[in-house]
Amino acid sequence: MQYNVLDFGAVGDGAANDTAAIQSAIDACRSSGGGRVVLPGGRTYRCGALALCSNLELHLEMGAVLKGSDEISDFVPAGRSFARPEGRQLPSYVNCDYDGAPPLCFLYGRDCENLAITGFGRIDGNEEIFYGKVTPDFIDGSFYPRTPMLFLENVSHLTITQLTLSRSAFWTVHLVGCRDVLIDGIRILNNLHLANCDGIDPDHCQDVRISNCYIECADDGIVFKNTAAAMRYGPCENITVSNCTIHSSSAAIKFGTESEADFRNILVQNCAIRCCNRGISLQLRDKGSIENVSFQNISICTRLFKREIYWGQAEPIAITVLKRREDSAVGAVRNIRFSQILCTGENGIFLYADQPGAISGLYFDQVDLSLQAVTAEEKGYHDLRPCFGASYMKTGLHYVDARHVSGAVFHGCSFRADGAMAAALSEPYRLCDCADVQL
């Protein structure tokens, strides 16, 4: 069965609130046992929170735009209440603890199966209504957490294909406890200055395939998470990422920092990372561990951004295991492989743990690193956020800077620096309290 939202009263003129009409079409699809809800092309549909369901394909035709409402209150899901926080004292890049349970949603689905969101249309998050402080380098949100564009929890057999997702004011695709997920051929086009608008966040998810995507966003591109609110869904595991291009003002591929459960059996391959503040970042801050992860055939280009605002210091590969708070229990990183990685940027590889043995079993095979200066930002720093204690450390510029690493092999790797970076190089390798590192 096919359900055209115009037949349910949608106007699609870019001004009328079409929430009720689109929801009615979805509800009719649910009542009949399933089908396709269509947003015809050539129109802009304005709406707030939409509840998705099992056995549904939500299809946006070419030229169709589903744009968020101008009223923040329209993003409160049915049956909930929301009081907007006031009097925020710290920007979101300083204080960003989040349990993974958003009070607001745009498109959301929970406890369902056989759900697809498809088509060559576009979803627009209407980012401006969530703006806080605006500067030439950075736009902070007016409160935190804000509205994820897609929030899907406990969904089995989920498909998201072909769409363009744009101007999200918070995490764009947040998947919580989802299983058998296919994300293919989507574009995420977010503001590179707006805080916290991650691309794709698999959170406690299993059996996920992400492929052929283009992602442009501030904060992080593809981020594996295990948030505190969703522990019942188990680890993040059995995930592949392939053939993606990512442009981010923070990390392109990231693990954490929310890491309450384990991450394991994850493969990232054949990706291009460009103009990021970090390339690959494993940030363990909680009790979960990261193990059996492979990165292969990836090109990484990094550059320095404003130090206080954007996390990272242009490291192509960064692994950090640190306490989030003074009393935090933190897991370990082990059995991680990097193969055929081509890196160009303004910093070296950073491997850092605050406890011995927290990082082990690393294998670097044919990693090529070229240090090249492209900004006037000061070199030789590393960013430890979020953590208990100092946020930054300055150790100088090195090809590899490591602390408390046990067992790391660099095989067939090459390191070099251009004239300015060669002059700034403190020493090629800095190994502190490390054991069995073969360079």
Side-chain angles (χ1 to χ4, degrees):
M1 293 286 291
Q2 183 161 295
Y3 303 84
N4 187 323
V5 298
L6 298 177
D7 295 336
F8 290 81
V11 178
D13 63 355
N17 189 326
D18 289 324
T19 307
I22 298 172
Q23 189 63 62
S24 293
I26 293 170
D27 292 343
C29 181
R30 176 194 292 114
S31 297
S32 67
R36 174 188 254 200
V37 172
V38 177
L39 278 66
R43 296 173 181 266
T44 297
Y45 306 86
R46 302 298 299 271
C47 73
L50 292 173
L52 308 181
C53 61
S54 294
N55 303 313
L56 166 71
E57 179 189 357
L58 180 65
H59 183 79
L60 282 69
E61 290 184 345
M62 179 72 81
V65 178
L66 181 62
K67 185 174 181 179
S69 168
D70 287 331
E71 300 296 329
I72 291 176
S73 59
D74 287 342
F75 295 98
V76 181
R80 297 193 202 172
S81 60
F82 172 72
R84 175 173 168 159
E86 300 294 343
R88 183 176 176 79
Q89 299 299 314
L90 295 173
S92 56
Y93 59 82
V94 174
N95 182 17
C96 60
D97 286 352
Y98 174 43
D99 66 1
L104 303 173
C105 292
F106 190 0
L107 277 67
Y108 69 99
R110 183 176 283 109
D111 302 328
C112 53
E113 62 181 4
N114 304 324
L115 172 62
I117 307 172
T118 69
F120 287 100
R122 178 164 60 92
I123 303 177
D124 182 331
N126 197 19
E127 62 178 43
E128 292 89 351
I129 67 168
F130 299 95
Y131 282 4
K133 183 178 180 180
V134 178
T135 68
D137 298 309
F138 181 73
I139 303 170
D140 201 2
S142 55
F143 59 93
Y144 186 98
R146 298 181 294 283
T147 306
M149 180 174 285
L150 304 181
F151 181 81
L152 302 167
E153 180 178 352
N154 193 28
V155 178
S156 297
H157 318 308
L158 169 66
T159 302
I160 304 172
T161 61
Q162 303 169 331
L163 292 163
T164 295
L165 309 177
S166 65
R167 298 173 5 98
S168 181
F170 198 61
W171 299 2
T172 309
V173 181
H174 186 187
L175 311 176
V176 181
C178 295
R179 298 162 303 282
D180 182 11
V181 176
L182 173 64
I183 300 177
D184 186 72
I186 72 169
R187 296 173 175 87
I188 295 178
L189 306 176
N190 288 340
N191 191 329
L192 285 166
H193 287 122
L194 179 59
N196 316 120
C197 57
D198 292 4
I200 302 171
D201 295 68
D203 182 355
H204 293 278
C205 291
Q206 296 91 41
D207 305 322
V208 179
R209 292 91 68 209
I210 300 171
S211 59
N212 306 312
C213 297
Y214 177 79
I215 299 172
E216 185 175 289
C217 59
D219 273 355
D220 308 302
I222 298 175
V223 196
F224 307 106
K225 294 184 177 292
N226 283 312
T227 53
M231 288 295 288
R232 61 192 176 278
Y233 296 119
C236 232
E237 64 180 349
N238 304 328
I239 298 172
T240 62
V241 176
S242 59
N243 305 322
C244 293
T245 299
I246 304 172
H247 178 195
S248 166
S249 50
S250 195
I253 302 289
K254 178 177 167 183
F255 287 63
T257 66
E258 296 86 353
S259 48
E260 293 290 342
D262 291 342
F263 306 84
R264 55 180 178 246
N265 306 332
I266 296 173
L267 170 64
V268 181
Q269 63 181 351
N270 304 334
C271 291
I273 293 169
R274 67 180 184 89
C275 198
C276 291
N277 205 20
R278 271 186 179 141
I280 297 167
S281 182
L282 280 58
Q283 293 177 257
L284 203 57
R285 299 295 183 271
D286 305 303
K287 61 180 178 287
S289 292
I290 303 172
E291 59 186 350
N292 301 339
V293 179
S294 178
F295 302 92
Q296 61 187 44
N297 197 27
I298 299 173
S299 65
I300 300 173
C301 180
T302 65
R303 52 152 291 176
L304 289 164
F305 289 73
K306 294 293 183 182
R307 183 179 307 130
E308 295 81 9
I309 296 174
Y310 298 105
W311 288 11
Q313 283 290 285
E315 303 95 343
I317 297 170
I319 301 176
T320 56
V321 182
L322 297 161
K323 291 183 178 182
R324 185 184 296 276
R325 302 177 185 85
E326 186 175 12
D327 60 349
S328 293
V330 186
V333 174
R334 51 184 172 257
N335 300 331
I336 313 296
R337 184 184 182 98
F338 301 90
S339 177
Q340 295 182 298
I341 313 293
L342 180 63
C343 310
T344 303
E346 295 190 289
N347 213 338
I349 296 169
F350 184 51
L351 314 170
Y352 185 91
D354 59 4
Q355 298 294 324
I359 300 175
S360 64
L362 307 182
Y363 189 78
F364 297 84
D365 178 41
Q366 300 180 68
V367 175
D368 183 287
L369 170 61
S370 175
L371 298 181
Q372 299 180 10
V374 294
T375 73
E377 296 289 322
E378 187 176 1
K379 313 301 189 286
Y381 281 89
H382 291 294
D383 187 349
L384 304 178
R385 294 176 295 178
C387 63
F388 172 73
S391 296
Y392 302 96
M393 58 185 295
K394 185 174 184 180
T395 62
L397 186 63
H398 312 272
Y399 295 129
V400 178
D401 192 337
R403 183 186 181 196
H404 286 149
V405 175
S406 300
V409 175
F410 291 79
H411 173 264
C413 298
S414 62
F415 305 101
R416 60 190 177 276
D418 69 9
M421 297 296 274
L425 199 67
S426 302
E427 55 183 326
Y429 314 109
R430 179 177 180 268
L431 308 178
C432 300
D433 302 313
C434 293
D436 192 23
V437 176
Q438 302 176 34
L439 278 163

